[in-house]
Amino acid sequence: MKKLERKVFDEVYCRIRILVFFIVCSLVIAIAVLPFLVYNLTRSITKISNKSVHRLPTTIIPSHYRLYIDTSQLEQYIFQGTVDIDIQIKEIVNEIILNSVKLNITKIEFQHDDFNFTLNGSVTYYKDYEQAIIEFNQQLNPGNGRLYLSFNGKINDQLNGFYRTKAHNRIGLCTQFEPGYARQAFPCFDEPSFKANFTITIRAPKYLTTLSNMPVKLKYDDGNDTCIYEFDTTPVMSTYLVAYVIGHYDYIETRDSNGVLIRVYTPTGRKEQGVFALKTAAKMLPFFAEYFGIKYPLSKLDMIAIADFGSGAMENWGLVTYRETYLLVDAHTSTQKTKQDVALVVAHELAHQWFGNLVTMKWWNDLWLNEDNFASWIEFLAVDYVYPEYDVWTQFVSDTLATCMIPDALHNSHPIEMPIQRPTEIDEIFDDITYGKGSSVIRLIHAYIGGEAFRRGLANYLAEYAYKNTVTENLWSHLSKTSNRSHLSDILSTWTKQMGFPLLTVKQKQQGNNRLITIEQIRFLADGTKDDSLRWKIPINICTKSHPNESFYQLYLNGTKEQEFLLENIPETDWIKLNLFSVGIYRVHYPQSMLEALTPGIDDRTLSPQDRFNIQADVYALARAGHIGYVDYLKLLRYAYKQEENLTVWKSILRQLTELSSIFDYAHFNNTKKLYRSYVCDLLSNIYNKLTWYPLSNESSQAIMLRSLILIQLGVNGDNKIYDEAHRRFKKLFINNNQENLIDPNIRPAVYLTVAKTGNQQIFDQLKSLYLKAETQEERLILLNSLCHFDDESLQNQALKFIWNTTVVRKQDHLTAFSSLASHNRRGCEICWTYMQENWNKIERTYGQHDSHLIHFIESIPALFASLERSDEVRKFYINHPNPLLDRPIKKALEQINIRRLVLERHEHSINQFLSG
């Protein structure tokens, strides 16, 4: 018995040991693996949450905000407020979720229309999603009700949300709510699809001007050196269009032909500088009303110049805010370029009053529908209507099309239509692609379907979706109907839903009196690598020697890699050119024989300015990508463009020559840069001899602007005659009463930049004194740019210190000046890069971690380098300063560094030989 018991015991003990062993092993494995399981599970949950929780639920819909803002303590940079929001509850809920950031919600009440009692609520903040979760002690049933909130917050200094401005030691307040900053000023449903009415009341010091979207309905003194302003209720609109401004302002006013009251608000004592913008707006507002077939929906339009403003302008409905340099024009000191810029920006913002404000994108992935699908295109149409002498449509190709094709040729480009998960991601795509490529696509559509079909399609679209939200397909549908082109969406989707653009390689063969051409498409990449995965559907207009300014053939590349076309009745002596007027968004690679045949049409200007622009821009891009030699480009300029007189063509040439010059700062041969400067001065000699320093009577606005560009290039490239004349004019400023020796505003930049380049301490101090005494922001910016263009290293360091002096340089101008110093020469770039590395945390605090200024710092400074060593530094910098906002900009900067490095490796030797010959 005992033996049996022992045996049984031994068996049980053995089994227990085995069981314990397995348990211990399992625990060890669990302990080792569990953290990874939890980590991966958490990541999965986070990914799911990021895609679902960041957007507000649609179970609650706001219809009316009654917003009260108390700014009586603005000197302490704090404000209080209340907001009553009428909401519709669509299904049973336990909580109300809305957006709130950096606000302290102090009181919460809710009253359902079906009940007489009020519920008190509590709030939990979800910082990552910028949301406030408001909970009650009982569920909320479907129906209508009103949410009452009290809150307070700080008036920040970051140029967004509700922020403070300062000019002449006087504080003002301003709002900037696009894309997702209204939530910093009051709790709200801060997504564009949650449109509602707004009734706004503001308490402000009585000595300040107080404005909002709508006219003042009632104003009364509350007895405490403050006034209460009650404004009329707005139409239904998105939160990002709400605006209020408080500060010291004068104004001038007029009424347009439809009776709309238009005012321009300026800093006190400068209202005459608002005259140009006022006259421009008074002509453009009726133009838009007629073009769209819908009258301007409000009774007033205010346009106001803000001392500190991060972007160019903002289209707030009825209260458009501007940076001073994009609204104010001094009749005596402003340049022609400033007038043109003001006209374009005013046109852009007024177009938004319909396209963007009246009809709004449903979500930010259709941002281009708001910014580029229309406003960035029609601004040119409106300016051409009001100021046809500006010839802005020709300039479109150099100012808009060309600038968007540079970043869009990178591997790390992005489509026009991009998925956006949260508003903090939107700043990343407020760029040349969203603005420039989007408006270029619209220009393509307009040309393809015709102006009248395009206008009717837009008018029908606006009429159907007035006070509503839309997606891109809604617009395509209307344009397809009015143009009777059902395939329009198929064409356009290849341009908006995929990044990049094609390179068309052309071959031709003469067959009797006909021309057989073969066109092959592949994605164009700036580094010359191949990506054969994308295809575009491309309308192509062709002109010929016999028909140089009309579309002699209309071809359609239907998305295949290669197509053949037989062009009839084209004699062997006729050249052909693709992309008439540069309407298409693509590069063309011609065989040498076809390019040589086009040269006489360039030289004698048979080809249009847009086509002359297009040919050399494509050749430059092909050389930059390594498809052809840079010498081919330099020869083309010398033999075909030396007689060129058009502003648009020269803008493009000079931009490209400037880039090549900055690459030669890293040249391996000591004399490459010197030889190159001599080449540039020789290339510009003919156009300089035609323009000289002196304006001619009745010369065009383009000639005025071109003179400035030519003089600047000759000055910075060391032309002796320009150097002497610039110094003579500069010295006269400081002789006796300089009011008698003022420099023509249009050539001031040329004078300042020329004397700065090789200038000494005295000239630096003189420019700085002019800056400190300048009366307009336009003049200050010209001088600030000049202070950043000295070759002397010690003066560059002084400029760097001056740039970041917040008492004399406005926050909005730090980046502009910093980029100017970096782009001046290699040493300037190195100084700025060192500063960035040592002060990046400070820069992030200054602008905020999600602000687009950070993107521009990355894309403007390290992208100017041209070596593998600097690439490594940029990578390490990002490892030390991770920020999701900068993922793409860092990759783009690294690409640009590599491209610039490859240009030197591939081309410097042959360029040096050519220039030495």
Side-chain angles (χ1 to χ4, degrees), residues 507-669:
K507 297 177 182 177
Q508 67 173 357
K509 181 185 294 185
Q510 192 70 24
Q511 295 182 348
N513 202 40
N514 302 327
R515 191 81 53 88
L516 179 69
I517 66 169
T518 304
I519 302 176
E520 179 185 357
Q521 66 162 302
I522 191 172
R523 182 183 175 190
F524 178 80
L525 288 165
D527 63 358
T529 57
K530 290 187 177 181
D531 177 2
D532 204 22
S533 63
L534 300 177
R535 296 286 182 268
W536 287 263
K537 296 184 177 181
I538 314 170
I540 300 172
N541 287 323
I542 290 183
C543 63
T544 69
K545 180 180 179 181
S546 301
H547 302 84
N549 290 296
E550 61 179 289
S551 180
F552 193 61
Y553 276 97
Q554 298 88 39
L555 310 181
Y556 177 61
L557 201 59
N558 62 10
T560 58
K561 180 177 177 61
E562 183 176 292
Q563 278 182 250
E564 284 188 347
F565 302 92
L566 184 65
L567 310 183
E568 298 179 344
N569 300 316
I570 297 183
E572 190 170 0
T573 54
D574 262 18
W575 49 255
I576 65 169
K577 182 196 174 292
L578 280 67
N579 202 6
L580 176 67
F581 301 141
S582 299
V583 172
I585 310 167
Y586 51 83
R587 301 287 184 200
V588 180
H589 188 180
Y590 298 102
Q592 188 61 31
S593 59
M594 291 184 73
L595 187 61
E596 288 175 357
L598 288 168
T599 301
I602 300 169
D603 187 47
D604 63 17
R605 282 161 279 176
T606 301
L607 284 159
S608 72
Q610 297 96 319
D611 289 302
R612 302 198 302 274
F613 148 85
N614 173 241
I615 292 169
Q616 61 80 33
D618 284 354
V619 172
Y620 180 86
L622 289 166
R624 190 172 184 262
H627 294 295
I628 61 175
Y630 256 107
V631 170
D632 294 334
Y633 177 69
L634 298 177
K635 286 180 178 178
L636 178 68
L637 294 186
R638 175 174 285 177
Y639 299 123
Y641 287 89
K642 203 167 182 182
Q643 305 302 322
E644 184 59 60
E645 297 180 358
N646 184 267
L647 171 66
T648 293
V649 181
W650 275 118
K651 274 185 181 180
S652 174
I653 292 172
L654 295 177
R655 186 182 297 120
Q656 290 158 182
L657 291 177
T658 298
E659 185 200 33
L660 192 54
S661 177
S662 75
I663 293 174
F664 286 152
D665 280 340
Y666 302 86
H668 302 106
F669 296 97

Side-chain angles (χ1 to χ4, degrees), residues 666 818-819 822-823 829-830 832-834 836-837 840 854-867 870-871 873-875 877 889-890 892-898 900:
Y666 302 86
F818 196 67
S819 301
S823 64
C829 189
E830 290 168 349
C832 291
W833 175 234
T834 299
M836 275 179 62
Q837 291 173 294
W840 187 251
L854 303 184
I855 295 173
H856 297 306
F857 274 102
I858 297 299
E859 294 185 355
S860 301
I861 286 81
L864 293 169
F865 289 126
S867 70
R870 292 297 190 182
S871 292
E873 286 184 20
V874 174
R875 290 189 183 91
F877 169 82
I890 287 287
K892 289 167 69 176
L894 292 171
E895 272 196 78
Q896 293 284 26
I897 294 171
N898 184 54
R900 291 163 64 86

Side-chain angles (χ1 to χ4, degrees), residues 195-227:
K195 286 192 168 187
N197 301 106
F198 294 83
T199 302
I200 298 172
T201 302
I202 297 175
R203 182 186 182 201
K206 63 175 60 176
Y207 58 88
L208 298 178
T209 298
T210 300
L211 304 171
S212 188
N213 303 84
M214 301 299 289
V216 174
K217 180 180 180 181
L218 181 65
K219 171 187 174 183
Y220 56 91
D221 191 330
D222 73 345
N224 295 304
D225 291 326
T226 58
C227 284

Side-chain angles (χ1 to χ4, degrees), residues 337 340-341 344 376 379-380 390-407 432 435-437 439-440 443 579 581-585 587 608-618 620 633 641 644-657 702 705-706 709:
K337 181 180 183 303
Q340 180 174 295
D341 288 347
L344 285 166
S376 294
E379 66 183 65
F380 286 86
Y390 289 2
D391 191 30
V392 290
W393 273 126
T394 302
Q395 295 177 61
F396 180 95
V397 296
S398 63
D399 295 354
T400 303
L401 175 64
T403 54
C404 79
M405 294 180 80
I406 295 170
D432 286 332
Y435 280 88
K437 188 178 181 181
S439 54
S440 298
R443 181 170 173 257
N579 202 6
F581 301 141
S582 299
V583 172
I585 310 167
R587 301 287 184 200
S608 72
Q610 297 96 319
D611 289 302
R612 302 198 302 274
F613 148 85
N614 173 241
I615 292 169
Q616 61 80 33
D618 284 354
Y620 180 86
Y633 177 69
Y641 287 89
E644 184 59 60
E645 297 180 358
N646 184 267
L647 171 66
T648 293
V649 181
W650 275 118
K651 274 185 181 180
S652 174
I653 292 172
L654 295 177
R655 186 182 297 120
Q656 290 158 182
L657 291 177
Q702 294 85 53
M705 294 167 67
L706 180 57
L709 294 178

Side-chain angles (χ1 to χ4, degrees), residues 370-385:
N370 188 38
E371 287 298 340
D372 281 319
N373 182 32
F374 198 68
S376 294
W377 173 82
I378 204 173
E379 66 183 65
F380 286 86
L381 191 70
V383 171
D384 188 58
Y385 170 78

Side-chain angles (χ1 to χ4, degrees), residues 158-161 163 174-179 181 304-316 320-327 345 348-349 352 371 427 430 435 777 781 811-813 815-816 847 851-853 856:
Q158 291 193 333
L159 304 181
N160 55 50
Y163 71 94
C174 182
T175 59
Q176 170 59 38
F177 290 162
E178 188 183 30
Y181 297 117
I304 184 166
I306 307 296
D308 299 292
F309 200 73
S311 56
M314 176 61 206
E315 67 267 19
N316 315 296
V320 184
T321 45
Y322 293 82
R323 189 178 287 202
E324 285 187 8
T325 48
Y326 290 122
L327 186 67
V345 174
H348 183 102
E349 304 310 322
H352 272 312
E371 287 298 340
D427 284 327
F430 272 99
Y435 280 88
Q777 185 65 5
L781 286 176
K811 182 177 180 179
Q812 67 202 32
D813 300 326
L815 173 60
T816 303
Y847 294 99
D851 192 274
S852 61
H853 284 84
H856 297 306

